[in-house]
Amino acid sequence: MRDASIVAAFDFDGTISTTDSLRVFVRRTVGTPRFVLGALLASPWLIGAALHLIDRGTAKAHFLRAALGARPQTQLDAEAKRFVADGLPALVRPEMLARVRQHRAMGHRVVLVSASPSLYLRPWAASVGFDAVLSTELAFDANGRFAGEFAKPNCWGPEKVRRLEAWWDNAPPRVLFAYGDSRGDKEMAERADHAWIRGQGKLMPLMDDDTPPGVA
């Protein structure tokens, strides 16, 4: 029986995937020369973000603006569809996909919470059974072209918790699992009853009765 009171929230890049999927997607979409040029043009913002002088989302938007330009949404959607079909599956860790399926088999709701764009994450997540995708959304102008910015804040750090809480609204889960790999997942892990961060131990076992630690 489905137990909607238990939610499992998964980060994508580095957690489910073996690498940064956005870099792979952009390089496949624009080619290596344009990818490198985009990184060079956006380097002041990328360096600023690395030094914690500016927001990560601002730096990411500048890089995407430089690399993708004002590409039509229809073109990006087509590239995303190809990426989901013949690029993204090779980046997915089998053991994490198995964990997603294990949660689903136990009737838990599973949600993907990622700073990478919904452009390709949403169709991929639907194909493997996620209930929802909370991720960075690209903004498009009135002509349907990439506007060089995001429609919502970059889904990283505290924004992940804000998105989760908005998603479940007035019906928070009885138990929240969180899976991550980096600083960007810290707040989500702290909000969870059971949290796993890659590199900090083995995956926790799943039980039929997933009550929070310390609760009888």
Side-chain angles (χ1 to χ4, degrees):
M1 180 178 294
R2 185 170 177 78
D3 186 349
S5 71
I6 298 179
V7 169
F10 289 82
D11 167 60
F12 188 76
D13 294 290
T15 301
I16 291 180
S17 74
T18 57
T19 189
D20 184 337
S21 64
L22 180 60
R23 286 201 299 264
V24 178
F25 172 72
V26 173
R27 188 186 292 264
R28 283 171 59 102
T29 298
V30 305
T32 299
R34 179 62 184 256
F35 177 91
V36 173
L37 177 61
L40 289 173
L41 292 174
S43 59
W45 292 275
L46 296 174
I47 293 170
L51 296 175
H52 308 291
L53 300 176
I54 64 171
D55 176 70
R56 294 171 63 96
T58 300
K60 183 193 295 186
H62 274 87
F63 165 67
L64 292 178
R65 183 183 307 146
L68 296 178
R71 273 176 167 72
Q73 184 174 6
T74 52
Q75 181 183 348
L76 289 174
D77 284 341
E79 292 291 347
K81 185 177 180 179
R82 281 192 284 272
F83 185 47
V84 169
D86 59 29
L88 197 54
L91 306 181
V92 173
R93 300 177 191 269
E95 74 276 11
M96 296 308 297
L97 191 54
R99 175 51 65 106
V100 172
R101 290 170 174 158
Q102 187 178 4
H103 275 289
R104 283 185 51 78
M106 297 176 73
H108 306 165
R109 287 185 293 168
V110 290
V111 54
L112 193 63
V113 191
S114 174
S116 281
S118 60
L119 191 70
Y120 56 81
L121 286 184
R122 187 164 286 127
W124 175 82
S127 74
V128 298
F130 275 89
D131 293 284
V133 175
L134 311 176
S135 60
T136 300
E137 305 278 351
L138 303 188
F140 295 90
D141 64 21
N143 296 314
R145 293 180 174 274
F146 177 49
E149 57 189 23
F150 301 138
K152 297 179 180 179
N154 187 42
C155 191
W156 186 91
E159 181 65 16
K160 290 194 172 190
V161 175
R162 286 192 285 269
R163 297 283 193 94
L164 276 169
E165 292 177 343
W167 174 63
W168 64 54
D169 196 19
N170 294 321
R174 174 174 62 86
V175 178
L176 175 64
F177 288 85
Y179 298 86
D181 80 302
S182 69
R183 168 63 186 83
D185 305 306
K186 177 177 180 289
E187 288 81 4
M188 184 169 74
E190 291 174 344
R191 177 66 176 80
D193 301 293
H194 304 285
W196 176 81
I197 300 295
R198 183 169 295 282
Q200 297 184 13
K202 296 181 179 180
L203 283 170
M204 59 280 203
L206 296 184
M207 310 297 289
D208 288 333
D209 180 19
D210 285 308
T211 51
V215 177

